[in-house]
Amino acid sequence: MPLLGACPARGEEEPDASSFASPTAMASVVGTLYVVGATIALATMAFPQPPGTKVGGLYVVYAIAYVLGGILLVLRGRLPRSVVSLALGIGTLLICTGILLTLQRSGIYAMFFVWVSVVAFVFLPRREALLHAVLIAVAYAAAVLEERPVGYVEQLAIVVGTVAVAGLLVGYLKARMEAAIAQHGRSEDALRKEREFMDAVLESLEDGVVACDADGVLTLFNRATRDFHGISEERLRPDDWAEHYDLYLPDGKTPMPTEQIPLFRAFQGESVKNVELVIAPRRGRKRTLLANGRAILNERGEKLGAVVAMHDITERKRFEGELQHLADHDAMTGLLNQRRFREELDLQTIAAHRYGRECAVLVLDIDNLKYVNDTLGHTAGDTLITTVARVLGENVRRSDVFGRLGGDEFAVLVPDADVEHAEQLAANLVRALRGALIFVNGQRLRPTLSVGVSVLRANANASGEELLMEADIAMYEAKERGRNRWSVFEAEFESHVTPRSNWVNRIRQALEDESFVIYGQPILEVASGKVSSVELLLRMRSDSGELVPPAAFLPVAERFGLIQAIDRHVVHEAIGLIRDHGAGSRPLCLHVNLSAKSLIDAELPGVIERDVRAAHIDPGALTFEVTETAAIVNIDEAKRFADHLVELGCRFALDDFGAGFGSFYYLKHLPFDVLKLDGDFIRALPSNPADQVVVKAIVDVARGLGKQTIAEYVGDRETLTFLTEHGVDYAQGEYVGNPRPIGELLSDRRRAGPTPVRR
């Protein structure tokens, strides 16, 4: 049978038709009394009557009326309503006729008529009872008008009728009492079953539920609540619970005041919504809970108690913490990344301005890292960077903020430090690295460090950005003086050093003059062997006309807040290229890289949408590539950004997929269409079994989620063959085609069409 079948509502069960108190049975009894009355009335005409007694036509009328009433009651519910109404009308007519047939009076009939009227009103529906009462009242009036002595048979009829009706009432009251007792028993049983059901439901919940009554006494707490509080199954009295756990604010360290406890707040009438707290049982693990609750009121608004539900969000908070750590820290060294370091720097300078304090910034650069990369390889260079980070980290204070700005650069923020203190720290760091034993690939390296120092003196107005630039200039001054040393910023340095600030000016000038050069690298559709899309890459032309690679200026643009302007420039150029070269049967599909800062630019999606609509291009021809690091800077903002452009019709690709901790998490929460496999898995793919396993797994996951895959850094035919055999959709790299000026690439495209790649 169905779980929720067609059951009668609670308290509305149909009465048993065979019971004494049922309407059908009671109507039959009343009808029987009518028939008995008719029988007695007819008998008065057959038996001898006392002297002076008259037997008139009224007895016949009574008999007929009684018989009709009895039949109607016995057959109640079995005859059409029209038949019942007709019969009642005939009965009324007969009674009225009886009035005309006799003028004698007999008040002794009154008791019998009254009893029958009462029974009719008790046991019959309101309309039928009223009609029967009218008949009885008219008959009684006729009897009163008869004015004749009462015979023995009539007296017997009255006695029998009175006793019968009295017995009927007693039986009815007894039946109602028994029914009430039975109903009470059934109600108690139903309440017991309902309570058992609710207890079972509450015990099965993974969320904790706790409630108190109007006096604040705990009355309900399920299994999850006991688990959260470290309470054993013996169910200690709620009054003793406080000895077994402690409550803290979300930081997990500050004890939660009583007035902030969710159940207390709900009991006071406050609506508790999404309140975080940490509970630490004496016997159990610490958990983070999310509480919601309110006061319980009756229909009159009187407080009956309060209830709070608690959801365990410990795992969610742990995962969010790991994601936040990834967003704030450099993946290679584990140090604070540039974005997070700059945030700390801004906070420190604001505090220094407010309280008249000093602070210092040190920018550190590993000398000659390029030589290590060129001679020993980039893997050796990465190993050197992580080792240097460890050595330097061992020589800064716990109160100092140590981060990696990118590449071979690090920075240290030193609170409450004057020039002397900052110089001492810089000297210690230079000496520490100089004396460290560092081995890479079996070779001992002797790296050195160039350090620039900038100090925010008391009551100075320099911003964190300016401090960082000054330290950067001082670092270049140290390099100019021979490296392996430190230098404190002085104003005259700006006149003879070519620091990063010059790059800032050059980037700004390139944006104004539109002297950036767009390159394109073809992306191969593996199934067809033809180039299907192009990734746009950026170069900057120097004053001498040489092309500057992006690694030389993009980190500076990131650091000094120019990257968003560059992203907008490239997006604008891409839309123009699609408009000018993507018409007809051969649409031009372009991939555009976006930085982390662009993903949190609330205005950029609107700008892109306006440009796309103005150019009348297919939004699906634009694919935006973002790295995992960019996605986790602010995943909520990134999701809003991506959702807006996906709704417009653009596509998204997750670059360097598989390189980080949260790759699969982003597939669940961000609307990516394409997964771009990290190049580290592709470079040595034919000869590295571990890379092969990872690539196969990522392709399987992508297929299951309906995503496409791109493999970059494809350098030879063997790699492309492996990718083809294992279902990778697209390939990109030296074997497919090197980056070229976009104009040349599009000219070749117009002349030759999609060109198959050699196999």
Side-chain angles (χ1 to χ4, degrees), residues 11-62:
E12 297 181 359
E13 293 84 352
E14 283 293 331
D16 184 1
S18 63
S19 68
F20 183 80
S22 69
T24 301
M26 299 313 298
S28 299
V29 172
V30 175
T32 302
L33 290 179
Y34 270 104
V35 173
V36 169
T39 303
I40 295 174
L42 291 172
T44 59
M45 294 184 292
F47 292 97
Q49 301 296 317
T53 299
K54 297 188 297 179
V55 178
L58 186 59
Y59 285 104
V60 178
V61 175
Y62 286 165

Side-chain angles (χ1 to χ4, degrees), residues 135-438:
L135 296 179
I136 293 167
V138 172
Y140 172 63
V144 170
L145 294 175
E146 239 186 299
E147 293 185 355
R148 61 177 179 75
V150 179
Y152 300 122
V153 176
E154 293 170 294
Q155 294 178 17
L156 177 62
I158 292 171
V159 172
V160 171
T162 302
V163 172
V165 174
L168 180 67
L169 286 177
V170 172
Y172 168 73
L173 294 175
K174 181 174 180 291
R176 289 298 294 267
M177 185 177 295
E178 290 175 349
I181 293 173
Q183 179 63 30
H184 180 71
R186 287 195 298 271
S187 298
E188 285 191 339
D189 186 59
L191 288 174
R192 178 182 57 79
K193 290 181 179 179
E194 185 173 342
R195 182 59 185 264
E196 290 175 353
F197 175 76
M198 291 302 300
D199 287 344
V201 170
L202 288 171
E203 288 296 296
S204 66
L205 292 177
E206 294 300 321
D207 288 352
V209 179
V210 60
C212 66
D213 60 18
D215 297 323
V217 178
L218 290 178
T219 56
L220 183 149
F221 35 88
N222 64 347
R223 173 192 55 80
T225 302
R226 296 193 301 272
D227 290 344
F228 294 164
H229 291 75
I231 306 300
S232 65
E233 287 296 328
E234 287 81 19
R235 293 204 179 203
L236 296 173
R237 291 190 311 114
D239 292 344
D240 300 329
W241 280 24
E243 303 175 3
H244 295 267
Y245 67 91
D246 296 301
L247 293 180
Y248 298 95
L249 296 178
D251 62 9
K253 300 176 182 179
T254 308
M256 176 170 277
T258 301
E259 60 273 11
Q260 294 189 32
I261 295 175
L263 187 60
F264 181 87
R265 292 169 58 182
F267 185 74
Q268 297 302 316
E270 182 179 348
S271 179
V272 178
K273 294 183 178 179
N274 298 328
V275 174
E276 284 190 20
L277 68 151
V278 175
I279 186 167
R282 309 287 169 80
R283 295 185 302 173
R285 65 187 183 93
K286 184 183 291 187
R287 303 172 190 256
T288 302
L289 305 179
L290 190 68
N292 289 274
R294 62 181 182 84
I296 303 173
L297 308 176
N298 61 17
E299 295 178 353
R300 297 183 298 277
E302 299 169 342
K303 183 165 64 177
L304 303 178
V307 62
V308 167
M310 297 167 288
H311 180 61
D312 188 354
I313 59 171
T314 305
E315 286 304 305
R316 192 189 86 186
K317 297 296 289 186
R318 181 188 64 80
F319 195 71
E320 287 177 353
E322 290 173 346
L323 286 178
Q324 188 60 51
H325 184 273
L326 286 174
D328 292 341
H329 292 78
D330 174 59
M332 182 184 296
T333 63
L335 301 177
L336 292 183
N337 58 23
Q338 181 189 146
R339 179 190 62 81
R340 189 71 183 91
F341 180 86
R342 293 167 70 92
E343 288 179 357
E344 291 292 331
L345 176 59
D346 289 340
L347 291 174
Q348 184 62 40
T349 52
I350 290 173
H353 292 153
R354 178 175 298 174
Y355 301 110
R357 298 174 181 170
E358 295 181 318
C359 68
V361 175
L362 281 63
V363 172
L364 309 88
D365 186 271
I366 303 173
D367 297 326
N368 300 316
L369 179 64
K370 185 177 184 301
Y371 173 79
V372 176
N373 287 332
D374 293 343
T375 57
L376 299 179
H378 286 275
T379 301
D382 291 346
T383 302
L384 178 60
I385 289 173
T386 56
T387 305
V388 169
R390 177 180 55 79
V391 172
L392 298 178
E394 293 171 351
N395 287 274
V396 297
R397 301 177 307 178
R398 293 176 61 87
S399 58
D400 297 337
V401 179
F402 184 30
R404 183 185 178 204
L405 300 181
D408 56 358
E409 285 193 350
F410 301 87
V412 181
L413 170 61
V414 190
D416 299 317
D418 54 18
V419 174
E420 182 180 354
H421 185 183
E423 282 195 88
Q424 183 63 46
L425 176 59
N428 291 341
L429 294 175
V430 170
R431 282 195 297 267
L433 187 59
R434 183 192 304 151
L437 293 175
I438 298 178

